[in-house]
Amino acid sequence: MPTMQTDKPFTYKVDEHLTDQLGVGMRVVVPFGKGNRLIQGFVTRIFEQTDYQGELKKVAAVLELAPVLNDESLQLAEWMARETFSFRISCMQAMLPSAMRAQYQKKVVLLTDQVSEELKAFFADKSEQIFDEQKISTNMQGKLLKARRQKQVEIKYLVKNKARAKKIMMFQSKLTEEIIEEEKSKLRVNANKLRKLLSFLRTHPKIALTQAQFEKKIGLTAGVLRAAEKKGWLLRQESEQYRDPRKNLMVGQTIPKNLTSQQREAVEAVLAEATKKHSTTFLLQGVTGSGKTEVYLQVIAKVLAAGKAALMLVPEISLTPQMVERVTSRFGEKVALLHSGLSSGEKFDEWRRIEKGEAQVVVGARSAIFAPLKKLGIIIIDEEHETSYKQDNMPRYHARDVAKWRAEYHHCPVLLGSATPSLESRARAQKGVYRWLHMDARINQQPLPKVKIVDMREEVPQSKNINFSEALLRGIKQTLERHEQIILMLNRRGYSSFMMCRDCGFVLKCPNCDISLTLHMDTHSMKCHYCGHEEAIPQVCPSCKGRHIRYYGTGTQQVEVELQKLFSTARILRMDVDTTRRKGAHTRILNKFGQHEADILLGTQMIAKGLDYPDVTLVGVLNADTALGMTDFRASEKTFQLLTQVSGRAGRATKKGQVIIQTYNPHHYAIQLAKEQNYEKFFRKEMSIRHQGAYPPYYYTIQIVASSPEESLAAKKMYQIYAEIRKYLSNQAVILGPTPQAVARINNRYFYQLIVKYKKEKQLFVYLDKILYESQKDERKGLKIMINREPLNFV
DNA sequence: AGCACGCCGACT
DNA sequence: GTCGGCGTGCTC
């Protein structure tokens, strides 16, 4: 159970009949607590003797035949729990596919007929009912609990193991060639179907097929198969089948491409470290189109050739069919896929294929970092700057850190790739902590696309089209005329939470923190959620005295309507959270666009990554500013990365690309440097700003959040922590807050937070462990405490 | 998460 | 006096 008091191992007795089966790393069902309710646990140690002075309970059941956690996973879980202030059991569960997390169910069992009419009605002639707190009224729950005290009913606890292999019926031939001939001669002349079956079995001895496959191949129906089974020709047996997430992919075969000299240098540098007894982390910084993926693929190929396995992480958002196809077309059956688009059964099966060593290349999103590969030869993290690599619930791990831990364990290199590395990683490369590899030449020798910045403040104000500038409209028109494709991105991050002047682009900032103020409609004020500064909502722009100051944000749907009106014949595809909610919708939209069944792809930031379509020659960013308005010190970094990424979508093949960025802040360095595609200059500029503000990577950060349905409770707790934490900190550390979070209320809970910026604070961790331990008591009052090490989002 | 124990106020 | 609510400790 994920609580602090139970975050330790418990000892159980193992019955004789289970001793052979039981092993370290297996899941077991054990009775726990006074009521002996059954729960799922993990075996972490087995020993003959115990020093526990009490009655031991017995393990109730063993859930598997082979361990699901090995020595590495157990050590990793231990490390992760300490590192991220989480519970060990949460870490172990996070490492396994969700199908292996047991489902608990409660049932109420009727013990006697002597009960009230109301209870009789509840049981409705049955002896037991499922006890679901969500479905049963509180009133009824009370009555049931009362009936239990009077021994009229009892509560039964069940553990449901969802981790099941998919079973299918297969028919297998039992016949030898001689018997086939013999049987054939015995058949009646009109037994056409049976004769057909025999001929087929003769040419395909030992074959095992499902009924459906027989039907499809030789047109046999169920009746014929049953007859054949009766005659003893076929053996019907259950067989395990993997659920294959790749069944709808069109996968060809590709061969390694010729490398440019920069690519070859990168591949060789990584491979040179691959055989050493230590682990090196590389930062591969390559401009968009420089062929990072091919570097990954060739490194993987070499690693496989050496008999080792490869793990490659890709952001969820860019696990496009395109990406998957590139890898599977090179490594075929050896590839296993792990991402949120798969059903839990599919994930479970892919996990088992990896665990059994049937797949040696794993491609997946964040949690794939735990893939149970045994002899890792390389771990690759593509788009390493992506914030989705950090999990934002318990355990709050960063896949990059887990990668480094595992690489250390396996003595293999880590390869971090990006066109726009996170400042943290780039700074480490600078300091020599990471080996820095860079590729500044594009594969096809195409120059980077021309980027045009449109100053939206100068657009004709009477124009009806508030979302499109003249330049962008002209660009779209010309591109459509050439029958080429267009990607339009609407930046939705930080949607309408900040205010900006439409006349001059001024964004209201905090006088203390130099960070945009957040609009709080509940208090009708502008707040800084770093330091708590608060001021009135301005009526006129403090900079230009203009009155066109307003919230920022437009929806994709609205833009689509406007766009369709302007270009009535253009085929538009919209891609945002609304249109991609359904499973596979993401893939369908991209396939459609890839096959040029649409002219314009309109979407949110999810279209910025990894798409590679040769016919796209125009990329338009409708509003580059919203990210800058984010109340986060990483706002500039994120804006720069996003604009650079999306610009890279234009002119990938032989055609020249063009990028148009609309903004109210044309002179902001993040936008100017994205136009130049000058990462290095951006890095230096941003680093000096971080240095001045004492932000990462110069300082470490820890975020502590208290939340409660009662605002005063959360606030009080946070101030109490604030008062205490100072005793544990040196005067080198900086505390920001406590402040209410930018979105102060979510799901009727109020959030208060505090951020500590520090360099070296040993005592801090002692205190954080203490908070974690004590948070348990508060939880019952509805007060939750969350500790987030190196948070990436401060909202 | 869920059970028991113990303390407290409100009731027959 | 006693019933029942709730805060707290503990679960091998």
Side-chain angles (χ1 to χ4, degrees):
Chain A
M1 232 160 322
T3 66
M4 196 62 199
Q5 288 93 327
T6 53
D7 190 34
K8 59 181 181 195
F10 287 82
T11 315
Y12 283 85
K13 207 155 50 177
V14 186
D15 251 355
E16 210 142 304
H17 71 280
L18 287 178
T19 42
D20 291 342
Q21 278 188 54
L22 196 81
V24 169
M26 287 180 186
R27 291 178 305 148
V28 287
V29 176
V30 292
F32 194 76
K34 299 265 152 64
N36 278 332
R37 71 208 163 83
L38 297 174
I39 56 162
Q40 187 196 72
F42 294 92
V43 181
T44 54
R45 259 183 81 194
I46 297 178
F47 36 89
E48 300 290 321
Q49 206 92 65
T50 172
D51 49 8
Y52 179 69
Q53 304 291 318
E55 193 80 2
L56 291 184
K57 290 180 184 176
K58 284 183 200 163
V59 171
V62 181
L63 288 178
E64 37 248 332
L65 300 169
V68 292
L69 296 175
N70 56 27
D71 190 49
E72 182 196 356
S73 343
L74 290 170
Q75 280 183 47
L76 175 56
E78 205 66 31
W79 170 81
M80 214 161 84
R82 252 183 296 120
E83 198 73 6
T84 65
F85 300 97
S86 319
F87 308 120
R88 301 166 205 209
I89 195 119
S90 311
C91 294
M92 290 180 198
Q93 274 163 352
M95 298 167 76
L96 296 172
S98 59
M100 287 194 196
R101 200 166 315 151
Q103 292 283 297
Y104 298 110
Q105 204 179 49
K106 279 186 284 186
K107 280 187 174 170
V108 228
V109 186
L110 196 55
L111 294 173
T112 160
D113 290 340
Q114 311 297 304
V115 295
S116 66
E117 287 303 313
E118 209 176 346
L119 279 179
K120 273 189 186 149
F122 173 78
F123 279 97
D125 286 339
K126 291 194 197 93
S127 64
E128 54 179 45
Q129 280 290 337
I130 292 167
F131 188 104
D132 187 340
E133 270 99 341
Q134 310 291 303
K135 286 189 186 144
I136 300 171
S137 69
T138 0
N139 185 302
M140 195 64 206
Q141 281 183 41
K143 292 223 165 74
L144 285 168
L145 290 173
K146 199 166 178 179
R148 176 156 78 143
R149 257 175 271 135
Q150 292 162 4
K151 305 268 188 248
Q152 291 175 338
V153 300
E154 71 173 4
I155 292 182
K156 203 163 78 174
Y157 298 94
L158 297 162
V159 178
K160 284 201 162 178
N161 183 10
K162 286 186 301 171
R164 292 236 172 68
K166 190 175 166 186
K167 296 273 171 59
I168 47 158
M169 280 301 169
M170 297 277 267
F171 292 92
Q172 189 171 13
S173 169
K174 288 164 77 181
L175 304 178
T176 61
E177 208 164 321
E178 299 93 74
I179 303 175
I180 290 176
E181 290 309 320
E182 198 187 315
E183 291 284 334
K184 225 176 186 174
S185 60
K186 280 199 279 187
L187 283 179
R188 277 182 305 185
V189 269
N190 61 350
N192 288 325
K193 288 279 162 90
L194 285 173
R195 184 162 291 120
K196 215 169 174 180
L197 173 65
L198 283 175
S199 317
F200 178 79
L201 291 179
R202 193 178 48 194
T203 42
H204 303 86
K206 293 269 165 220
I207 197 166
L209 292 176
T210 63
Q211 183 180 317
Q213 286 169 322
F214 269 114
E215 263 170 45
K216 210 168 143 201
K217 273 209 158 82
I218 34 180
L220 297 178
T221 50
V224 182
L225 290 173
R226 215 168 302 126
E229 189 191 344
K230 254 195 191 140
K231 283 175 183 287
W233 297 357
L234 293 176
L235 177 69
R236 207 167 82 112
Q237 60 183 4
E238 229 180 28
S239 155
E240 271 190 22
Q241 196 194 33
Y242 289 127
R243 286 153 273 217
D244 186 0
R246 272 144 300 186
K247 55 183 176 266
N248 295 327
L249 283 182
M250 318 243 293
V251 178
Q253 260 226 322
T254 57
I255 48 161
K257 294 176 186 155
N258 287 329
L259 297 181
T260 64
S261 59
Q262 287 189 331
Q263 285 176 312
R264 199 174 317 115
E265 277 167 35
V267 172
E268 279 162 11
V270 176
L271 291 173
E273 292 292 327
T275 49
K276 301 212 174 130
K277 271 276 165 235
H278 59 262
S279 168
T280 309
T281 302
F282 292 88
L283 175 65
L284 174 61
Q285 184 178 337
V287 294
T288 47
S290 61
K292 290 186 291 293
T293 310
E294 191 59 29
V295 171
Y296 305 151
L297 295 178
Q298 301 215 7
V299 168
I300 293 172
K302 285 281 174 6
V303 163
L304 289 179
K308 291 183 182 170
L311 177 49
M312 175 163 156
L313 294 195
V314 181
E316 187 75 70
I317 217 161
S318 63
L319 257 174
T320 55
Q322 241 180 20
M323 187 64 176
V324 173
E325 275 170 29
R326 276 188 82 175
V327 184
T328 39
S329 63
R330 193 72 59 85
F331 304 111
E333 297 280 295
K334 293 194 175 93
V335 181
L337 232 49
L338 288 171
H339 63 89
S340 68
L342 308 186
S343 70
S344 83
E346 284 172 331
K347 270 186 250 177
F348 173 61
D349 284 355
E350 288 294 84
W351 190 91
R352 283 192 309 150
R353 282 182 61 225
I354 300 162
E355 201 272 327
K356 288 182 184 166
E358 292 169 25
Q360 297 88 37
V361 182
V362 173
V363 181
R366 180 182 58 234
S367 64
I369 195 62
F370 300 114
L373 290 162
K374 297 209 178 70
K375 275 164 61 186
L376 268 175
I378 182 81
I379 302 177
I380 296 166
I381 301 186
D382 188 31
E383 310 284 359
E384 71 86 35
H385 61 278
E386 272 298 303
T387 52
S388 64
Y389 284 127
K390 169 129 194 209
Q391 179 150 55
D392 62 4
N393 43 38
M394 184 93 112
R396 295 188 170 74
Y397 66 89
H398 197 301
R400 202 198 288 138
D401 300 328
V402 178
K404 281 188 266 177
W405 189 95
R406 292 199 72 185
E408 206 76 49
Y409 185 93
H410 289 271
H411 308 298
C412 78
V414 175
L415 178 55
L416 307 174
S418 176
T420 52
S422 62
L423 282 226
E424 282 86 345
S425 293
R426 180 60 184 78
R428 282 184 185 164
Q430 189 85 3
K431 277 174 70 184
V433 182
Y434 295 166
R435 281 269 305 275
W436 193 41
L437 306 168
H438 50 110
M439 305 196 298
D440 45 28
R442 290 188 122 191
I443 291 281
N444 52 15
Q445 305 298 319
Q446 277 281 326
L448 286 163
K450 267 219 167 63
V451 180
K452 184 178 167 58
I453 293 182
V454 178
D455 185 349
M456 290 302 274
R457 296 170 303 180
E458 288 174 1
E459 283 300 303
V460 195
Q462 62 264 37
S463 160
K464 303 187 296 283
N465 314 310
I466 50 160
N467 290 308
F468 295 94
S469 61
E470 285 301 318
L472 185 54
L473 287 176
R474 215 176 315 121
I476 295 173
K477 188 160 172 277
Q478 287 164 1
T479 312
L480 287 173
E481 278 164 4
R482 288 198 306 270
H483 299 289
E484 290 166 352
Q485 288 178 296
I486 301 154
I487 289 180
L488 292 179
M489 187 183 77
L490 185 67
N491 194 356
R492 287 264 301 182
R493 209 170 266 166
Y495 179 65
S496 87
S497 63
F498 76 109
M499 294 185 84
M500 190 175 68
C501 171
R502 277 219 187 249
D503 293 332
C504 71
F506 177 83
V507 174
L508 195 60
K509 285 187 170 172
C510 174
N512 312 320
C513 307
D514 202 31
I515 270 167
S516 315
L517 293 180
T518 306
L519 175 71
H520 281 249
M521 276 321 277
D522 46 356
T523 52
H524 290 281
S525 63
M526 304 297 295
K527 283 184 191 169
C528 168
H529 78 270
Y530 278 85
C531 70
H533 170 83
E534 186 171 349
E535 58 184 85
I537 300 171
Q539 298 303 308
V540 294
C541 171
S543 172
C544 73
K545 310 292 173 213
R547 266 174 297 150
H548 298 113
I549 186 161
R550 57 187 65 167
Y551 327 116
Y552 210 68
T554 314
T556 36
Q557 215 168 347
Q558 188 189 327
V559 174
E560 186 187 10
V561 171
E562 191 179 331
L563 194 60
Q564 196 71 74
K565 244 184 245 163
L566 291 163
F567 303 99
S568 55
T569 55
R571 295 163 299 170
I572 304 168
L573 272 176
R574 179 161 64 96
M575 189 156 140
D576 55 25
V577 271
D578 294 332
T579 60
T580 54
R581 223 187 300 274
R582 290 221 331 277
K583 194 187 164 189
H586 202 264
T587 309
R588 259 195 307 282
I589 294 174
L590 292 179
N591 277 346
K592 225 171 153 186
F593 189 66
Q595 280 152 28
H596 211 142
E597 285 170 31
D599 308 300
I600 302 174
L601 177 64
L602 168 69
T604 50
Q605 28 275 5
M606 64 175 77
I607 59 172
K609 314 246 149 57
L611 305 183
D612 191 351
Y613 298 116
D615 284 349
V616 174
T617 54
L618 173 63
V619 167
V621 180
L622 298 182
N623 54 344
D625 306 283
T626 42
L628 287 176
M630 271 192 309
T631 49
D632 196 315
F633 69 85
R634 278 184 244 262
S636 301
E637 183 183 353
K638 284 177 181 165
T639 302
F640 177 82
Q641 285 165 343
L642 186 65
L643 294 180
T644 310
Q645 299 279 343
V646 77
S647 300
R649 303 304 120 220
R652 296 283 288 194
T654 47
K655 292 171 191 155
K656 255 203 207 119
Q658 189 195 175
V659 179
I660 298 174
I661 296 173
Q662 301 186 154
T663 173
Y664 288 93
N665 287 292
H667 303 298
H668 191 284
Y669 65 95
I671 289 172
Q672 279 300 323
L673 295 173
K675 171 192 158 97
E676 293 171 30
Q677 306 252 336
N678 192 339
Y679 178 87
E680 287 306 307
K681 201 164 163 191
F682 175 79
F683 172 68
R684 287 193 300 273
K685 169 93 183 162
E686 187 66 15
M687 282 296 272
S688 80
I689 289 170
R690 300 283 180 92
H691 185 67
Q692 277 170 27
Y695 282 113
Y698 292 98
Y699 276 75
Y700 295 115
T701 50
I702 287 232
Q703 177 192 45
I704 306 169
V705 182
S707 74
S708 160
E710 255 181 278
E711 185 167 12
S712 61
L713 218 59
K716 219 174 101 194
K717 185 72 196 177
M718 216 60 251
Y719 277 95
Q720 184 200 325
I721 289 175
Y722 174 66
E724 267 182 66
I725 201 168
R726 294 165 70 176
K727 297 181 206 151
Y728 292 83
L729 294 173
S730 73
N731 51 13
Q732 298 240 310
V734 185
I735 303 175
L736 302 176
T739 59
Q741 278 198 347
V743 190
R745 191 168 65 162
I746 305 166
N747 288 332
N748 285 317
R749 296 185 74 85
Y750 290 87
F751 291 80
Y752 276 76
Q753 72 169 13
L754 179 151
I755 287 162
V756 184
K757 298 194 288 186
Y758 65 99
K759 286 198 161 169
K760 241 188 248 157
E761 300 288 336
K762 259 213 142 148
Q763 286 304 303
L764 174 61
F765 296 96
V766 175
Y767 179 63
L768 292 175
D769 279 328
K770 193 172 156 233
I771 293 182
L772 192 66
Y773 188 80
E774 289 171 355
S775 71
Q776 206 56 41
K777 274 181 247 161
D778 299 318
E779 193 114 353
R780 281 191 237 193
K781 294 178 221 147
L783 181 69
K784 282 189 191 151
I785 310 282
M786 176 187 111
I787 299 172
N788 195 355
R789 197 162 176 184
E790 296 306 313
L792 294 179
N793 293 308
F794 283 64
V795 274

